[in-house]
């Protein structure tokens, strides 16, 4: 009745998000490699506190990010009988900047178009890291805009929620690919008219006495929809990348001293182990950290048990609750279901099925990505086939023709961004990364929820 999520969203925009951005940029303004040992330890502490704060902020805004969407889904399904994918497609356009860097990218693209030297750098062949460094070193707006864009997107894990995952800046080919794609391609997402037409079609099936309520619920879901991504983009994922940047700086020192095998192995230390190694060179051995790093590379989601502990019970029956509490229970249950729950496998020899989350059909080359180290293999127009995606992964979206994932539901990250970018998407296929050969031509049908190898 009181719609408190509106107050949360207003506070997010006015206070929380700007403060998070300022905090991240302040930490990025420090060069950790230039610090002495005590200064570096203090900087690591600041980065850790920033990461803890980011995680807290992310989950502090769970309810405004999820509850209005679930409430809309529950009621719209009852009134229309339409599938969840169709109903969620009505939210298209409500999250216009999934990467959280549209303004910085537009500024960069404009600067490159007006600077022949920048265009020449991007046109020339060369290692992506060298190309990016050359752009950043340019005088004037092109160099400044490149730096601002990199600060926004570079220090987020590419496809994870952990300091053990490489950041975008460690795969500069993704940044260069996004810039080149932005210069070459026109906007392809569905127009407002298309979304309005779909909305009117669905609304016509709502009983007359519920249409005003349908409009209200859809408006509330659209209003808060962007919070789902923004909590990660501006809070914890950026903080994770900044923490990793600081740890790698310390790792380079320890590797140069022969105390660890590779700088990135330091991310495998817990925080007290890390401080002991950096401060006094004592504690966990480089061999132990190398073993943990090998485990990280070898472990797979499929090896984990589906349930830890006993079998979960059924949700609390809504009829046991007062009406208002029952409405909350149903709304939250619906949204959690659509984030995590996928269908049972329906795999054939060269075809997988899942949830069609973004309509349309597309044929292209399957690029099977099993780890972040492989993201550099993505070429413009590829069909990404991967286990799952996170908000940080948005950097590669402008390069893709379609998305296919093993895991995830209608409100998984991959589903949301496929709809926003207007590219076909099928999620929850369970074994697409096993069945679809890397490099094979595939056809993705985001309406039917099918992906198959084509001759």
């Amino acid at each position: 009745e009181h719609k408190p999520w509106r107050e949360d969203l207003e506070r997010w925009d006015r206070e929380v998000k700007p403060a998070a951005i300022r905090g991240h940029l302040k930490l990025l303004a420090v060069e950790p490699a230039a610090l002495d040992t005590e200064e570096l330890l203090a900087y690591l502490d600041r980065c850790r506190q920033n990461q803890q704060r980011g995680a807290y902020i992310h989950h502090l805004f769970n309810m405004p990010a999820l509850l209005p969407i679930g409430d809309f889904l529950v009621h719209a399904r009852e009134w229309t009988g339409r599938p969840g994918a169709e109903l969620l497609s009505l939210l298209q356009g409500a999250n216009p900047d999934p990467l959280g860097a549209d303004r910085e990218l537009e500024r960069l693209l404009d600067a490159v178009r007006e600077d022949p030297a920048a265009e020449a750098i991007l046109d020339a062949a060369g290692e992506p890291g060298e190309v990016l460094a050359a752009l950043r070193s340019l005088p004037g707006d092109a160099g400044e805009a490149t730096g601002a864009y990199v600060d926004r997107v570079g220090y987020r894990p590419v496809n994870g929620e952990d300091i053990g995952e490489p950041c975008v800046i460690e795969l500069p080919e993704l940044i260069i690919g996004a810039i080149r794609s932005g210069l070459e391609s026109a906007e392809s997402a569905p127009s407002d008219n298309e979304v309005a037409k779909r909305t009117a079609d669905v609304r016509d099936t709502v009983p007359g006495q519920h249409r005003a309520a349908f409009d209200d619920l859809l408006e509330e879901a659209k209003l808060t929809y962007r919070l789902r991504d923004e909590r990660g983009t501006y809070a914890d994922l950026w903080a994770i990348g900044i923490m990793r940047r600081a740890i790698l700086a310390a790792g380079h020192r320890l590797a140069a001293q022969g105390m660890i095998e590779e700088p990135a192995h330091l991310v495998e230390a817990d925080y007290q182990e890390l401080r002991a190694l950096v401060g006094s060179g004592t504690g966990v051995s480089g061999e132990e950290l190398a073993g943990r790093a090998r485990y990280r590379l070898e472990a797979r989601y499929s090896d984990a048990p589906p349930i830890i502990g006993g079998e979960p019970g059924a949700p609390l029956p809504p009829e046991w609750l007062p009406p208002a509490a029952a409405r909350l229970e149903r709304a939250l249950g619906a949204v959690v279901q659509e984030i995590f729950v996928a269908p049972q496998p329906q795999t054939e020899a060269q075809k997988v099925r899942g949830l069609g989350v973004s309509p349309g059909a597309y044929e292209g080359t399957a690029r099977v990505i099993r780890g972040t180290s492989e993201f550099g293999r993505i070429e413009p127009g590829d069909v990404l086939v991967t286990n799952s995606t996170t908000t940080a992964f948005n950097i590669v979206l402008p390069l893709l023709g379609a998305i296919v994932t093993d895991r995830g539901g209608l409100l998984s990250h991959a589903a949301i961004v496929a709809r926003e970018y207007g590219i076909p998407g099928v999620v929850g296929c369970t074994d697409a990364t096993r069945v679809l050969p890397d490099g094979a031509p595939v056809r993705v049908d985001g309406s039917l929820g099918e992906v198959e190898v084509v001759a």
Side-chain angles (χ1 to χ4, degrees), residues 147 180 209 409:
R180 286 171 173 162
Q209 69 269 30

Side-chain angles (χ1 to χ4, degrees), residues 73 75-76 118 130 138 148 198 236 261-262 277 285 319 327 337 379 396 403 417 444:
L73 265 180
H75 288 89
E130 296 174 357
L138 286 172
R198 288 202 301 266
D236 51 337
E261 294 179 18
E262 295 181 19
L277 277 171
S285 69
E319 59 269 21
R327 181 174 175 180
Q337 177 91 2
E379 299 288 340
V396 303
I403 298 176
V417 295
V444 180

Side-chain angles (χ1 to χ4, degrees), residues 327-357:
R327 181 174 175 180
L328 289 172
E329 171 79 4
R330 295 176 67 209
L332 291 174
V335 78
V336 170
Q337 177 91 2
E338 299 302 359
I339 291 172
F340 296 112
V341 176
Q344 293 298 311
Q346 303 177 63
T347 303
E348 298 177 14
Q350 290 190 305
K351 178 188 284 189
V352 295
R353 293 182 176 88
L355 296 170
V357 294

Side-chain angles (χ1 to χ4, degrees), residues 118 145 201 210 263 284 343 392:
D201 177 58
H210 296 305
V284 65

Side-chain angles (χ1 to χ4, degrees), residues 92-438:
Q92 218 158 22
N95 184 21
D97 185 12
L99 188 54
D102 272 4
R103 185 181 304 173
E104 288 76 15
L105 180 57
E106 276 305 311
R107 177 193 171 196
L108 173 55
L109 297 178
D110 289 343
V112 169
R113 292 184 183 108
E114 296 174 5
D115 189 331
E119 287 189 320
I121 290 170
L122 282 168
D123 289 341
E127 289 296 318
E130 296 174 357
V131 173
L132 186 60
L135 284 175
R136 297 189 74 169
S137 67
L138 286 172
D141 198 38
E144 292 177 6
T146 303
Y149 180 62
V150 169
D151 279 349
R152 280 284 178 152
V153 303
Y155 297 100
R156 300 175 193 160
V158 176
N159 196 31
E161 298 176 338
D162 181 292
I163 58 167
E165 297 291 335
C167 289
V168 173
I169 193 67
E170 296 171 61
L171 298 170
E173 57 269 30
L174 299 183
I175 300 177
I176 296 302
I179 296 170
R180 286 171 173 162
S181 179
L183 291 169
E184 296 168 1
S185 63
E187 185 66 42
S188 60
S191 68
D192 290 343
N193 288 338
E194 291 177 82
V195 178
K197 184 176 182 299
R198 288 202 301 266
T199 302
D201 177 58
V202 172
R203 189 178 186 274
D204 285 343
T205 66
V206 177
Q209 69 269 30
H210 296 305
R211 286 182 182 173
F214 172 87
D215 294 341
D216 182 63
L217 290 171
L218 178 58
E219 179 62 27
E220 298 307 312
K222 284 184 172 182
L223 182 71
T224 61
Y225 190 52
R226 61 183 168 89
L227 266 180
R228 176 79 199 289
D229 268 4
E230 287 192 4
R231 294 171 305 145
T233 299
Y234 293 104
D236 51 337
L237 291 176
W238 203 348
I240 286 168
I242 293 170
M243 183 78 247
R244 179 177 169 88
R245 171 178 177 260
I247 292 174
L248 291 181
H252 279 285
R253 295 188 188 183
L254 297 176
Q257 297 166 10
M259 297 179 62
I260 60 176
E261 294 179 18
E262 295 181 19
H265 288 180
L266 190 56
V267 303
E268 308 299 341
D270 72 31
Y271 199 64
Q272 295 308 314
E273 291 172 337
L274 184 153
R275 285 188 59 84
L277 277 171
V278 174
S280 61
T282 60
V284 65
S285 69
E287 183 179 3
E288 167 66 19
L289 294 180
R292 297 178 192 176
R294 284 193 297 273
Y295 174 78
R296 178 187 293 277
L297 292 174
E298 295 166 359
R300 295 287 179 265
Y301 281 116
S302 58
D303 298 330
I307 297 168
I308 297 177
E311 289 282 339
L316 191 67
E319 59 269 21
W320 289 11
L321 301 170
R327 181 174 175 180
L328 289 172
E329 171 79 4
R330 295 176 67 209
L332 291 174
V335 78
V336 170
Q337 177 91 2
E338 299 302 359
I339 291 172
F340 296 112
V341 176
Q344 293 298 311
Q346 303 177 63
T347 303
E348 298 177 14
Q350 290 190 305
K351 178 188 284 189
V352 295
R353 293 182 176 88
L355 296 170
V357 294
S358 184
Y362 179 82
E363 290 191 11
T365 302
R367 193 64 59 207
V368 180
I369 302 297
R370 293 185 173 85
T372 49
S373 62
E374 299 180 351
F375 268 71
R377 298 195 295 110
I378 297 174
E379 299 288 340
D382 279 351
V383 174
L384 176 72
V385 182
T386 192
N387 181 70
S388 62
T389 69
T390 71
T391 308
F393 151 92
N394 288 353
I395 185 72
V396 303
L397 286 172
L399 307 179
L400 302 179
I403 298 176
V404 181
T405 69
D406 287 344
R407 299 164 70 87
L410 291 176
L411 279 170
S412 63
H413 175 259
I416 290 173
V417 295
R419 285 191 290 267
E420 284 301 317
Y421 278 82
I423 60 177
V426 182
V427 305
C429 298
T430 70
D431 54 4
T433 54
R434 180 183 64 82
V435 174
L436 303 175
D438 183 64

